Amino acid sequence: MPESEAPPIDGVSVEINGHEVIARKGELLIDAAERAGTYIPRFCYHERMKPVGMCRMCLVEVDTGRGPALQPSCMIECTPGMKVDTESEITKKAQDGVLEFLLVNHPLDCPVCDKGGECPLQDQTMAFGPGESRFVEEKRHKEKPIPISDLVLLDRERCILCDRCTRFAKEVAGDPLIHFINRGNDTEINTFPDEPFSSYFSGNTVQICPVGALTASSYRFKARPWDLDTTESTCQMCSVGCRISIDSSRDEVQRFAGVDIDPVNWGWLCDKGRFSSEAVNADGRLSEPLLREGDSLIPARWSDAIRRVSDALAKASSPQAIGIIGGARLTNEDNYAWAKLAKGVLGTDNVDAQLGDGLPAEVVLGLPAATIDEVCAPGGTVLLLAPDVKEELPVLFLRLRHAAVSDRVTLIEISPRTTGITSLAKASVQPRPGEVGELVRALVARSNTDRDIAGIAAEEINAIRALLSAANGPLKVVLGRASVAESADAVVDAAAAVIEARPDTRFLPVLRRANVRGALDMGMAPGVLPGRVALEDAREWYESRWAKVPASRGLDTEGILRAAADGRIDVLVLLGADPLSDFPDQDLAARALTGARTVVSIDTILNASSRRADVVLAAAGFAEKAGTTTNVEGRVNTVSQRVTPPGTARADWMLATEIASRLGVEFGFSSPQDILDEIGSITPAYLGLSIEALAASPDGIVLPLDLPVDELVDEIIEEIIKDVAAEIETETGEPVDEFIDVLAMTDDDGFVAGSTPRLVSFVADAPLPVPPLDSYAFRLIATRKLYDQGTIVQSATSLAPLAPGTSLLVNPWDLDRLGVAESGRVTVRSSRSSLTLSVTSDPGVPRGAAALVVSQADVRVGELIDVGDPVTEIRIETA
Amino acid sequence: MARLTAENVELATEIIGHFPRPKSALIPLLHLAQEQDGHLTDDAMVHIADLVDVTPAEVLGTASFYEMFKMEPVGRYMVNICTNISCQLRGGEELLEHAENTLGIRPGQTTADGLFTIEDVECIAACTEAPCLQVNYRYFHKITNNEFDELISELRSGARSDIPAHGTLAQVRQHIPADRQAGSVVPENTEVPVWLSVSEDGNA
Amino acid sequence: MTIDVPRIITSRFDRDDSFTLSGYEATGGYQALRKALASSPQAVADEVKTASLLGRGGAGFPAGVKWGLAPENVWPRYLVVNGDESEPGTYKDRMLMELDPHQLIEGVLLACYGIGCGQAFLYVRGEMPLAQERIAQALNDAYAAGYVGKNILGTNFSVDVILSWGAGAYIVGEETALIESLEGNRGMPRLKPPFFPAAKGLYMQPTIVNNVETLSNLPWIINNGGEAFAALGAETSRGTRMFAVSGHVKNPGVFEVEYGVSTFRDLIFKPEYAGGILGDRELKAFIPGGASAPWFFEEHLNLPLEKVTVDRAGSMLGSGAIVVMDETTDAVKSCLRIVRFFARESCGKCTPCREGTTWLEQILQRIYDGYGRPTDLDLLMDVSDNISPGISWPPKQTTICPLGPSAVSPIASAMKRFRPEFEARIAFAEQNRSSVPVDFPKAASHA
């Protein structure tokens, strides 16, 4: 994005309207001019896509020594000595002419157009257009609007054929499902008949359409731009941390749009993130606390509900009899407050933000980290040991796609089954479930292997080994839990193998849920404390700052659920967690909810688990509370409140603070900022973080900072304090010196470098042995799809129907072997349970394995899985 | 028929093999489909998309740009009458009018018996032979109204076996014998051509 | 057809077997290839440069210079043959392809050898199945005879010549659009710069795009030497050239004449050429180089058929297409017909061309149909000006390629010379119309 900054050193001097401008080498004229404060109008040009120079709006007179000539400034690179006149008569005439041509066939329905009020064509016309049309002929007429997908509608009369949506579809998303059709004056955008624009990224086309040709079904006719209030925030539909704007009117969220930040989303959003705006106002949002009476949950007063929770906690037989699961839905401040309550007040370490479907906290926090930019750096090599990023972290997929397609990045994929990124990978192999560790060990070994491993042929392994050896610079690994039907041990083992062989490797751990990374950073996992420190390392540090610290390492979610199932948990708190739906082993989750004495659910909408709770506390959701969030990279950015929560629903941090108070400990938090102040001054990895620093860093801040007080942050704070001081001085007329002193004090007291506990580092345990291959059994692969039965997707009316369901996917070779027909019904039997469903042939599933998608209607995959087993073995029989 | 026949898939594979990039074969393959079915069916476009590894929307995007490709059925004989400047000056429009009256259809329409479609087309490179027309792209030069009527009746009676049904263009195809093929040069092949690098003094 | 001497590219047109390999070999065919292979690729390129052969597609750029524009040390290079002849009034490449396909193929091979092209693509217009058939047969025979393909004539020169063809789109005659089409895309032109084919063409590799007639000259040039070729014609226009004379002439035809020597008057009036105006009527106007070219009139008849002279006189020889209009011609109608052609053939990429050419057609149609308004003539000129600023020659353009400005040529020409004919139609409309017709939308509805 063009932004003001110091002139580049090896710049190119050009003259724009008589003033010298130093452009970057190779910079497009349209961008250089904009940086210099001269905005050249445009419709087709978009700074995140390749220029096409076809709308002709950005024509300006350019003289490169052969006399002035009209040139599209979006296609012309600045060259030394170039003279540009964006205001000449000829330039103006050409631009006015183009505008008139665009309006020739454009309907004048601005009063009923969603884009009206924020439409570049309307704005241009208002500013420079003629008052009256000289076009007296009939305009083009086409049927309108036509749905081009479940989410997007197309009005071909309004379309000015700028190629933005089509370029986005092909160039950015890699889904060229919309295209120019016909020719010349009959040209239009359309899909192939009966093949809709079903891209996960379709909503971006609505956002970048320079007119109202593409509209979102969820936003049509809902609001006018001038009635909207807008706040920037960070999307919480997954952990990529896309920057968004939230638009509301009349205290109701109307839509989300992507905001362009360089290190993360480049302005793009996935449709799940974009259209999750509908879930904010969903029917069924909890607006008051509920208490169990017999079989029903009855609305209650907050004081009663909170007392019920604090009493239960106070009466728990021991700290180990309390378990807290969840945190991904929460802000960092919420999580810190809850971690402080759990570990610093209640003294329990039975806390886990993950639902047994991620990676151990020490792995996530302890591996040497890479940012998305570092992973995608041109010319690098990336090993994907991750879930299908297109399904789970869609905008990370876009970044990886760009890296592979445009920046010569070599992608090497090791996945249980082929994914949305497989076609972009230089190599992609699908090892047998549970054996990825052994495979990766061979891939990074010093010499070639002479045997097949995990079902992968030796030659193939050696070919990939060669690719990895040829990598320029440190290897980057995208690491995550690809299948919940196998234990995390295998992938952790793989990470250990890589780092052992190539210690300079950097990792991007990809957990899926919203702020799961922030929750782990804030200590919402067993064995860690806020600020990415181990319980044992930081015990002393926190003992001097908190009321207490847990005596020993506690249980993770699996452990908590086992303890609950065995009757050893008195209070089970679910912080926006629904283990009954999301924990891989559903039998265990169900037994745990039965076995726990008191179950407290804190959530925005009732889910399967909260329906079985004793107390339900109504929580404020996204866009209803302020705070910070941390993305997959460990990048902190803000989330903002745009609307008031429904009824009396409260932010999670308030509940923790209130409960602590009932238990006799005053946190002293009266706002998220109070909590952030404490986080920034005592949690080791977050030292130095402040609201001022965040305000000055729209891209967010990757933690930990290089220094206890980074020079940059220092400068920023100083600037802000000076500004505030100056303001106060002008208002009061008195000098304000104290503020400056505050800064000095912070330097002395806030950041105690020497005694800060060291951050967690990665240590791998030996993995569980995988049982020998049983030629009659199949190993199960359980993956996720973008749209599922999750609460938010199902609360967004546009998204809910998009969950595709699942059938059993089997390699055609196995299907043949089983003698089952495509689409035939089969019974799948594991040690736990059995399911009957239809089967689909899929060459992307390795032989000897079978794949299912979790969290889809009618098929409860979790019933098959025993989390105690390293892999889930199943048998397939004709039903 | 809709998807390409096995025989045509074989031909398609051969044509794709002529090009460094499969998509370059798109237009020839669309002609092949049109030769098979008389027009382009959706199924054929989906099949071709598969063969050259693009989406059906991309196939349609290309196909619909070119006026020879018909997305709807047309007559067995496509009668294209030129009315561009050279022909206009020598009676092309009058010939078109005569054709309309004779066949009882307007440009773009097909006779009820499905035999004829007429189009008023742009220059077909026979300007010195105006007025001219093509039947399924076979040329007829300096056509009078009487000659037109005669041609139509010959076509009706099946006497013009030299003119295949709409969709068939060249009836000879390029076939490169395997032992004579130099091979496609993909853009990734950055080697200097051997005849440039080896000798400065000729190769004979 | 009457032909003057020497005949360089049409020499076999009178033979019944002109398109066969045996006929070609019997008349000196593939001797130039043998000669070239005995010398260096550079020698071939030098010979073409010496010949000062101008491109015969329309722009008239020197072929030898074009070959030299490919950046050094960037490989592979491709050769693309433009056989998409479709400029209204133009009829020569089809003849060359149908009647002497081997001559073209030999030209292609010489170019590939000289330039170092790894592969050649011969793109024939879709509507020319006979040309496609003749070339396909010629290629099959030439492959079998060892002239094309692997180790040509036993040397280390290997190149495949691939026949491809279009499907009906005038714009594909523009070289970057042709490349798009050859890549399987919509034939929409690319912006130059940065996409000069010689640097970034087919698959973004250096690509030389030459016209059929241009390449058909190469065998003669190699056989007889570049100097022999350059000795023919005028200073700035060497060799011979094919011209098609059509429209209101007694003897329309295609003639190969010495370039830059004969005049328009010779070609239109001499009995061995077009033989004069039909019915001995008066000349009204003539188009000297295809529908894109501004019109010429009586006073231009004595200009030689020579590139620079014609350029300076405000038009172009373009694709060698001379269209003659006699005194009975309706200037408004001819102008409308040509504008309609460009409107129908606009690719739709650039706004001014997509919207502007159709708008111009609509205004002209209205004037022609008797619904013109007095303000329409200024509107016509101003809309033209917004497509081609200044309406000058050579044209400036607000578009990527020259198609949009080409629609302005006939309007500028006709309005300059025959404005009273437009005014008369409008005046007639004003007098005979009491109200706006019902199917004619009122301006008020678009306020």
Side-chain angles (χ1 to χ4, degrees):
Chain A
M1 285 217 64
E3 51 198 45
S4 49
E5 54 189 63
I9 298 157
D10 63 340
V12 175
S13 170
V14 297
E15 190 186 301
I16 300 177
N17 299 341
H19 301 288
E20 192 197 24
V21 170
I22 306 294
R24 296 189 197 99
K25 202 160 176 281
E27 188 173 21
L28 294 172
L29 176 55
I30 197 169
D31 288 337
E34 188 169 358
R35 274 196 310 110
T38 302
Y39 182 85
I40 301 172
R42 79 287 302 260
F43 294 109
C44 67
Y45 179 65
H46 187 283
E47 59 274 5
R48 289 295 183 190
M49 298 192 288
K50 290 195 188 100
V52 285
M54 61 191 283
C55 79
R56 315 304 288 172
M57 191 65 204
C58 72
L59 288 174
V60 292
E61 269 198 301
V62 178
D63 186 349
T64 51
R66 285 175 298 177
L70 286 169
Q71 298 279 3
S73 55
C74 71
M75 295 286 288
I76 303 295
E77 288 182 4
C78 292
T79 53
M82 179 185 265
K83 285 195 172 68
V84 182
D85 194 338
T86 70
E87 291 165 344
S88 72
E89 280 307 309
I90 287 174
T91 298
K92 287 284 166 214
K93 174 88 167 56
Q95 292 181 355
D96 288 351
V98 171
L99 197 58
E100 183 180 36
F101 285 135
L102 287 171
L103 292 169
V104 153
N105 277 297
H106 191 79
L108 299 178
D109 61 349
C110 308
V112 295
C113 177
D114 278 341
K115 201 79 176 187
E118 55 179 11
C119 173
L121 182 60
Q122 189 184 35
D123 294 347
Q124 285 294 319
T125 307
M126 294 293 287
F128 308 110
E132 210 171 299
S133 172
R134 300 190 291 177
F135 184 77
V136 296
E137 271 70 28
E138 187 73 21
K139 290 183 187 245
R140 277 194 296 258
H141 289 298
K142 291 174 195 274
E143 185 196 338
K144 60 184 260 182
I146 53 171
I148 56 169
S149 75
D150 293 311
L151 303 169
V152 180
L153 295 137
L154 168 66
D155 181 328
R156 292 167 296 174
E157 292 179 358
R158 289 180 188 155
C159 175
I160 59 167
L161 301 167
C162 69
D163 199 20
R164 278 191 179 188
C165 58
T166 36
R167 248 183 305 162
F168 172 84
K170 183 169 175 69
E171 197 179 299
V172 180
D175 297 321
L177 299 167
I178 45 173
H179 208 281
F180 281 136
I181 309 289
N182 301 331
R183 191 177 72 202
N185 211 261
D186 296 327
T187 308
E188 63 178 50
I189 300 293
N190 216 329
T191 62
F192 192 76
D194 302 323
E195 185 153 314
F197 180 40
S198 50
S199 166
Y200 284 166
F201 307 98
S202 68
N204 292 296
T205 63
V206 175
Q207 187 174 335
I208 61 178
C209 180
V211 293
L214 293 165
T215 47
S217 53
S218 65
Y219 177 72
R220 275 172 69 79
F221 307 126
K222 278 186 67 180
R224 308 304 323 216
W226 52 86
D227 290 331
L228 294 173
D229 296 307
T230 300
T231 308
E232 265 193 38
S233 190
T234 305
C235 181
Q236 295 292 286
M237 284 305 283
C238 78
S239 58
V240 171
C242 298
R243 206 59 185 153
I244 63 168
S245 64
I246 305 173
D247 287 342
S248 73
S249 71
R250 301 176 308 278
D251 201 28
E252 200 173 281
V253 167
Q254 301 296 343
R255 64 174 176 184
F256 298 158
V259 170
D260 193 328
I261 61 170
D262 231 29
V264 184
N265 60 312
W266 295 2
W268 311 129
L269 295 180
C270 71
D271 287 354
K272 182 174 170 181
R274 182 180 303 271
F275 298 115
S276 68
S277 59
E278 291 180 324
V280 178
N281 316 318
D283 294 341
R285 276 296 305 276
L286 290 167
S287 59
E288 56 193 345
L290 308 171
L291 288 175
R292 177 156 304 280
E293 282 185 23
D295 285 344
S296 356
L297 286 165
I298 306 296
R301 290 191 306 185
W302 272 104
S303 55
D304 294 343
I306 296 275
R307 187 171 59 240
R308 178 91 175 266
V309 176
S310 50
D311 285 356
L313 289 169
K315 283 183 203 148
S317 53
S318 71
Q320 289 73 38
I322 299 170
I324 298 178
I325 298 174
R329 179 180 58 69
L330 279 56
T331 63
N332 289 337
E333 291 72 19
D334 291 333
N335 275 309
Y336 180 80
W338 272 94
K340 189 170 177 178
L341 170 64
K343 300 192 175 183
V345 176
L346 301 168
T348 180
D349 195 49
N350 296 343
V351 177
D352 195 352
Q354 300 190 77
L355 287 165
D357 54 356
L359 298 171
E362 287 84 354
V363 174
V364 178
L365 304 182
L367 284 169
T371 62
I372 295 173
D373 275 350
E374 286 162 352
V375 169
C376 297
T381 300
V382 178
L383 180 62
L384 296 161
L385 276 166
D388 189 335
V389 283
K390 192 171 184 180
E391 301 291 346
E392 303 206 4
L393 306 161
V395 174
L396 177 60
F397 164 79
L398 291 187
R399 291 292 310 271
L400 287 166
R401 183 177 185 280
H402 180 92
V405 173
S406 304
D407 285 340
R408 311 174 323 276
V409 168
T410 304
L411 301 179
I412 295 164
E413 181 184 55
I414 319 281
S415 58
R417 50 169 298 199
T418 54
T419 69
I421 211 164
T422 302
S423 62
L424 298 166
K426 190 103 176 178
S428 175
V429 287
Q430 283 66 49
R432 264 194 304 268
E435 299 178 21
V436 66
E438 200 192 345
L439 173 66
V440 169
R441 220 165 274 284
L443 294 177
V444 294
R446 282 171 191 278
S447 54
N448 278 342
T449 180
D450 51 10
R451 63 187 184 94
D452 300 356
I453 298 169
I456 310 298
E459 310 85 77
E460 210 166 349
I461 294 170
N462 293 334
I464 297 177
R465 203 188 74 81
L467 280 176
L468 289 171
S469 308
N472 283 326
L475 194 63
K476 269 83 75 170
V477 179
V478 179
L479 188 77
R481 182 88 171 272
S483 164
V484 296
E486 53 186 290
S487 103
D489 289 6
V491 69
V492 174
D493 185 36
V498 175
I499 200 139
E500 193 187 309
R502 302 182 63 153
D504 62 349
T505 303
R506 310 273 294 275
F507 292 80
L508 180 67
V510 285
L511 305 179
R512 183 178 62 123
R513 290 194 185 83
N515 192 28
V516 60
R517 178 61 195 266
L520 300 184
D521 279 1
M522 289 301 106
M524 295 293 281
V528 295
L529 287 169
R532 300 181 195 161
V533 286
L535 175 62
E536 291 315 320
D537 294 339
R539 175 177 301 282
E540 215 172 295
W541 173 271
Y542 276 100
E543 271 171 349
S544 65
R545 288 167 171 82
W546 283 0
K548 66 170 87 150
V549 173
S552 59
R553 186 189 174 94
L555 304 169
D556 64 4
T557 291
E558 183 188 337
I560 296 168
L561 294 177
R562 281 191 197 286
D566 295 347
R568 289 182 280 118
I569 293 290
D570 293 333
V571 187
L572 177 63
V573 181
L574 304 175
L575 280 175
D578 178 10
L580 211 47
S581 304
D582 294 334
F583 188 71
D585 181 337
Q586 281 167 26
D587 172 69
L588 176 58
R591 284 187 287 120
L593 287 182
T594 309
R597 236 147 256 134
T598 303
V599 177
V600 180
S601 168
I602 301 175
D603 222 320
T604 56
I605 287 183
L606 281 181
N607 56 43
S609 305
S610 55
R611 284 199 180 85
R612 294 177 56 172
D614 301 292
V615 185
V616 178
L617 302 181
F622 184 68
E624 296 164 356
K625 59 180 177 179
T628 63
T629 184
T630 305
N631 80 344
V632 278
E633 308 166 280
R635 177 187 306 277
V636 181
N637 215 329
T638 55
V639 291
S640 310
Q641 180 172 3
R642 180 66 261 150
V643 294
T644 45
T648 58
R650 295 183 187 180
D652 300 81
W653 66 267
M654 286 187 198
L655 302 176
T657 306
E658 177 75 15
I659 293 165
S661 172
R662 297 285 178 103
L663 297 171
V665 180
E666 297 300 336
F667 286 170
F669 298 150
S670 58
S671 71
Q673 196 180 330
D674 291 343
I675 308 176
L676 182 63
D677 287 347
E678 184 164 318
I679 294 171
S681 55
I682 76 166
T683 71
Y686 280 54
L687 286 179
L689 185 68
S690 68
I691 197 73
E692 292 80 9
L694 283 166
S697 314
D699 289 354
I701 295 172
V702 178
L703 294 173
L705 297 167
D706 292 345
L707 298 163
V709 179
D710 187 274
E711 278 176 30
L712 180 76
V713 176
D714 201 0
E715 270 172 35
I716 291 163
I717 294 172
E718 203 172 336
E719 275 308 307
I720 290 168
I721 289 174
K722 272 186 194 153
D723 285 352
V724 174
E727 220 171 279
I728 295 173
E729 276 180 18
T730 30
E731 274 181 31
T732 61
E734 285 172 32
V736 189
D737 295 332
E738 298 94 294
F739 276 93
I740 310 299
D741 295 341
V742 170
L743 179 69
M745 275 169 55
T746 328
D747 263 330
D748 292 340
D749 302 341
F751 313 103
V752 192
S755 58
T756 5
R758 67 188 179 91
L759 304 184
V760 172
S761 60
F762 170 71
V763 184
D765 298 327
L768 287 176
V770 178
L773 206 56
D774 172 346
S775 60
Y776 296 101
F778 286 79
R779 286 186 184 166
L780 183 64
I781 299 165
T783 61
R784 304 183 193 86
K785 280 283 193 188
L786 184 66
Y787 302 120
D788 58 15
Q789 294 298 313
T791 314
I792 300 194
V793 168
Q794 290 304 312
S795 303
T797 47
S798 299
L799 302 178
L802 302 179
T806 186
S807 56
L808 186 74
L809 306 175
V810 179
N811 188 288
W813 184 82
D814 283 321
L815 206 61
D816 222 37
R817 196 168 60 107
L818 286 165
V820 182
E822 169 90 29
S823 308
R825 302 284 292 176
V826 290
T827 297
V828 177
R829 214 175 293 282
S830 76
S831 62
R832 267 292 166 73
S833 176
S834 69
L835 289 174
T836 299
L837 75 174
S838 72
V839 67
T840 306
S841 153
D842 184 343
V845 175
R847 289 179 188 183
L852 284 169
V853 179
V854 300
S855 188
Q856 296 293 328
D858 305 327
V859 179
R860 295 178 60 81
V861 180
E863 288 180 357
L864 297 171
I865 298 169
D866 179 342
V867 286
D869 294 338
V871 292
T872 305
E873 293 202 326
I874 56 169
R875 283 169 192 270
I876 303 172
E877 297 150 16
T878 314
Chain B
M1 242 178 294
R3 286 172 69 85
L4 296 185
T5 60
E7 193 186 335
N8 280 337
V9 168
E10 207 172 299
L11 261 178
T13 311
E14 184 187 347
I15 295 169
I16 291 169
H18 289 174
F19 296 96
R21 292 270 191 268
K23 198 185 179 190
S24 283
L26 184 48
I27 291 172
L29 262 49
L30 288 166
H31 279 302
L32 192 61
Q34 185 149 293
E35 177 166 2
Q36 176 183 294
D37 299 328
H39 72 286
L40 290 181
T41 65
D42 285 357
D43 285 346
M45 286 192 272
V46 169
H47 193 181
I48 289 170
D50 220 34
L51 291 171
V52 302
D53 198 22
V54 298
T55 64
E58 291 177 288
V59 172
L60 179 62
T62 293
S64 62
F65 186 85
Y66 300 92
E67 63 241 6
M68 286 175 76
F69 293 128
K70 307 299 176 191
M71 309 298 157
E72 302 292 335
V74 293
R76 179 180 171 83
Y77 299 110
M78 177 73 76
V79 181
N80 292 352
I81 299 169
C82 177
T83 59
N84 207 308
I85 184 72
S86 298
C87 285
Q88 185 194 48
L89 295 171
R90 299 300 293 258
E93 288 177 346
E94 290 75 12
L95 178 64
L96 174 65
E97 201 182 327
H98 174 75
E100 290 179 30
N101 293 336
T102 305
L103 295 170
I105 48 171
R106 305 268 297 150
Q109 295 178 334
T110 303
T111 53
D113 58 6
L115 272 184
F116 300 103
T117 301
I118 51 175
E119 285 194 343
D120 70 323
V121 295
E122 301 300 350
C123 184
I124 48 178
C127 310
T128 60
E129 315 302 316
C132 61
L133 61 79
Q134 292 178 319
V135 177
N136 294 345
Y137 305 104
R138 272 67 186 173
Y139 282 92
F140 294 87
H141 290 164
K142 290 184 176 156
I143 287 288
T144 63
N145 289 356
N146 285 342
E147 285 167 343
F148 180 83
D149 295 348
E150 207 172 300
L151 174 62
I152 293 297
S153 68
E154 280 176 13
L155 290 166
R156 268 221 174 91
S157 66
R160 294 303 299 255
S161 56
D162 56 322
I163 300 179
H166 176 254
T168 298
L169 295 175
Q171 289 175 298
V172 178
R173 288 187 179 277
Q174 180 181 14
H175 293 291
I176 305 177
D179 62 328
R180 293 288 316 129
Q181 185 163 15
S184 270
V185 178
V186 295
E188 291 76 16
N189 178 357
T190 56
E191 280 168 37
V192 183
V194 62
W195 68 93
L196 288 192
S197 58
V198 170
S199 159
E200 285 296 306
D201 315 311
N203 295 287
Chain C
M1 185 164 37
T2 316
I3 304 291
D4 75 349
V5 283
R7 288 162 60 161
I8 289 182
I9 44 179
T10 64
S11 65
R12 293 179 195 84
F13 279 20
D14 299 333
R15 291 175 65 102
D16 289 343
D17 63 350
S18 65
F19 54 89
T20 64
L21 180 59
S22 54
Y24 189 62
E25 284 175 329
T27 50
Y30 291 113
Q31 291 308 318
L33 178 64
R34 290 180 196 278
K35 188 174 171 189
L37 292 179
S39 65
S40 73
Q42 189 56 49
V44 172
D46 289 345
E47 216 56 65
V48 174
K49 212 162 187 178
T50 307
S52 298
L53 172 66
L54 298 188
R56 304 295 200 242
F61 195 77
V65 177
K66 200 173 195 175
W67 289 13
L69 291 178
E72 272 178 60
N73 301 324
V74 183
W75 307 97
R77 292 174 181 173
Y78 297 109
L79 181 77
V80 170
V81 186
N82 187 344
D84 193 58
E85 179 171 67
S86 40
E87 176 77 18
T90 312
Y91 177 27
K92 60 183 182 70
D93 293 342
R94 176 161 77 93
M95 275 187 178
L96 290 166
M97 293 188 286
E98 287 176 357
L99 296 178
D100 204 344
H102 284 287
Q103 176 176 253
L104 172 60
I105 292 167
E106 190 174 8
V108 168
L109 295 167
L110 293 170
C112 288
Y113 183 70
I115 304 166
C117 296
Q119 200 169 1
F121 301 90
L122 223 161
Y123 188 102
V124 181
R125 188 172 168 189
E127 291 94 330
M128 299 178 178
L130 182 60
Q132 294 156 20
E133 215 163 276
R134 293 258 166 98
I135 290 174
Q137 188 62 55
L139 280 171
N140 290 348
D141 293 344
Y143 264 97
Y147 293 122
V148 191
K150 194 154 81 181
N151 298 120
I152 291 169
L153 296 173
T155 67
N156 62 11
F157 174 46
S158 298
V159 69
D160 275 338
V161 178
I162 303 300
L163 171 63
S164 192
W165 58 103
Y170 161 78
I171 187 58
V172 166
E174 196 280 337
E175 57 180 358
T176 58
L178 180 70
I179 287 169
E180 284 286 337
S181 186
L182 203 47
E183 290 183 6
N185 300 328
R186 301 162 60 79
M188 293 163 63
R190 300 171 177 172
L191 188 75
K192 300 186 277 190
F195 302 112
F196 283 113
K200 288 178 179 192
L202 187 64
Y203 315 122
M204 289 296 143
Q205 291 299 123
T207 302
I208 303 302
V209 184
N210 279 155
N211 165 266
V212 165
E213 186 186 342
T214 313
L215 290 167
S216 294
N217 278 292
L218 297 189
W220 195 94
I221 290 173
I222 297 304
N223 277 328
N224 299 279
E227 280 182 21
F229 187 86
L232 296 165
E235 182 73 11
T236 52
S237 301
R238 313 296 182 101
T240 64
R241 209 184 153 173
M242 287 171 81
F243 287 94
V245 186
S246 65
H248 292 143
V249 288
K250 288 180 181 165
N251 179 26
V254 183
F255 312 102
E256 181 178 359
V257 299
E258 206 176 335
Y259 204 175
V261 175
S262 309
T263 64
F264 287 107
R265 187 180 298 282
D266 293 341
L267 217 50
I268 294 171
F269 287 95
K270 277 195 173 170
E272 62 266 41
Y273 300 124
I277 309 287
L278 207 60
D280 291 322
R281 288 189 287 267
E282 291 297 311
L283 175 76
K284 180 164 188 167
F286 65 97
I287 308 175
S292 309
W295 299 356
F296 272 175
F297 309 100
E298 180 74 33
E299 65 268 28
H300 298 104
L301 278 174
N302 291 335
L303 291 177
L305 297 160
E306 191 273 316
K307 181 179 168 10
V308 175
T309 315
V310 172
D311 285 350
R312 287 201 185 120
S315 190
M316 61 173 177
L317 282 177
S319 51
I322 298 166
V323 182
V324 178
M325 299 180 243
D326 71 15
E327 59 186 316
T328 66
T329 308
D330 180 337
V332 179
K333 188 178 173 185
S334 293
C335 179
L336 167 61
R337 186 60 191 84
I338 298 174
V339 171
R340 192 183 107 178
F341 166 72
F342 289 112
R344 282 169 66 159
E345 296 297 343
S346 168
C347 81
K349 186 171 184 176
C350 302
T351 308
C353 178
R354 180 183 69 239
E355 305 294 340
T357 54
T358 301
W359 193 4
L360 289 174
E361 182 199 341
Q362 287 170 321
I363 298 168
L364 282 165
Q365 185 75 53
R366 211 150 37 72
I367 294 171
Y368 182 73
D369 289 346
Y371 301 123
R373 304 167 304 169
T375 52
D376 280 340
L377 296 186
D378 285 346
L379 180 60
L380 214 45
M381 295 312 285
D382 195 50
V383 171
S384 295
D385 187 72
N386 284 341
I387 300 172
S388 183
I391 317 184
S392 53
W393 190 264
K396 295 193 170 72
Q397 57 198 50
T398 56
T399 51
I400 288 173
C401 87
L403 189 147
S406 294
V408 171
S409 287
I411 295 174
S413 303
M415 287 277 286
K416 187 166 74 184
R417 194 67 162 230
F418 310 115
R419 192 173 169 117
E421 287 185 43
F422 291 80
E423 286 167 346
R425 281 190 178 269
I426 289 169
F428 180 81
E430 291 286 302
Q431 284 157 18
N432 292 279
R433 175 159 46 82
S434 53
S435 66
V436 174
V438 280
D439 61 343
F440 177 61
K442 289 180 190 164
S445 66
H446 301 284

